[in-house]
Amino acid sequence: MYKLAMMGTFCVGKSALIMQFIEDCFLTEYDPTIQDFYRQQTVVDGEQCQLDIVDTTGIEAFCPMRDKSIRWGEGFLLVYAVNDRHSFENVNVLWDRLQILKGTKHVPVVLVANKVDVTNRVVHRTQGQEVARSFGIPYVETSAKTGQGVEQAFHELMGEIHRMRSEELNSDLNTKQREACGCKCCTIQ
């Protein structure tokens, strides 16, 4: 099971991305989200997986609900709209909040540039790539309207979660091996 959370300011297309991924359809009407939950079965690396997805609010008045979703989630799609500079600038604020609430800088996150189908783009690909590189996370361009990159964004995030789980498992195994050895050279003091 993968617990995913969508984060971003309002009107960036978080709900539309989820509906495109789950239902293969585009939402044409904007309906502000407070908090919605979705469940989807998918195949990752030939293995059947369940995705629990929370669509968080982009409305500042409901930040406590968003913070609760951050604590719940294990992987995050950090979404901005390429035609909305404010949503792009807010990515840094959400990134910082995510790290504070998770208590670590090692969190599975994918930076998602949505609405790449629009003609009035104000945030260019290189700007998004630069921010993703500075965070050390993958970058994916999407269009909830056309479906471009949507599946890739979700699968990229599941890959990040899988990688993080493997690293934690290896770390736990190494610790147990050192403890089982019993010699002082393997014991971390």
Side-chain angles (χ1 to χ4, degrees), residues 122-175:
V122 296
V123 181
H124 298 283
R125 175 188 301 258
T126 54
Q127 294 171 294
Q129 290 170 328
E130 186 177 310
V131 168
R133 192 171 22 263
S134 73
F135 293 168
I137 61 175
Y139 171 81
V140 178
E141 292 205 335
T142 63
S143 167
K145 186 174 187 176
T146 67
Q148 174 190 336
V150 175
E151 190 170 306
Q152 177 191 354
F154 281 90
H155 283 257
E156 190 83 37
L157 180 56
M158 289 180 283
E160 288 293 299
I161 293 169
H162 183 73
R163 184 182 58 74
M164 189 75 66
R165 286 176 178 174
S166 294
E167 287 174 6
E168 288 172 2
L169 180 62
N170 288 336
S171 176
D172 290 346
L173 287 174
N174 288 339
T175 300

Side-chain angles (χ1 to χ4, degrees), residues 21-98:
F21 180 68
I22 292 176
E23 301 287 335
D24 197 25
C25 70
F26 177 63
L27 297 175
T28 56
E29 293 182 22
Y30 176 66
D31 182 20
T33 301
I34 302 303
Q35 187 174 43
D36 291 327
F37 288 91
Y38 301 88
R39 180 165 282 165
Q40 174 71 9
Q41 297 292 324
T42 191
V43 176
V44 178
D45 295 331
E47 188 177 311
Q48 187 72 20
C49 298
Q50 175 180 304
L51 306 180
D52 287 337
I53 306 167
V54 63
D55 186 5
T56 67
T57 185
I59 302 168
E60 290 302 314
F62 296 102
C63 281
M65 289 180 76
R66 184 194 64 211
D67 288 354
K68 191 174 185 180
S69 296
I70 290 172
R71 288 185 192 97
W72 169 86
E74 74 176 313
F76 303 87
L77 290 173
L78 187 49
V79 184
Y80 69 91
V82 299
N83 63 344
D84 179 353
R85 179 147 309 274
H86 170 72
S87 71
F88 177 67
E89 292 165 353
N90 195 57
V91 163
N92 289 311
V93 173
L94 292 171
W95 174 255
D96 291 343
R97 188 75 185 150
L98 177 63

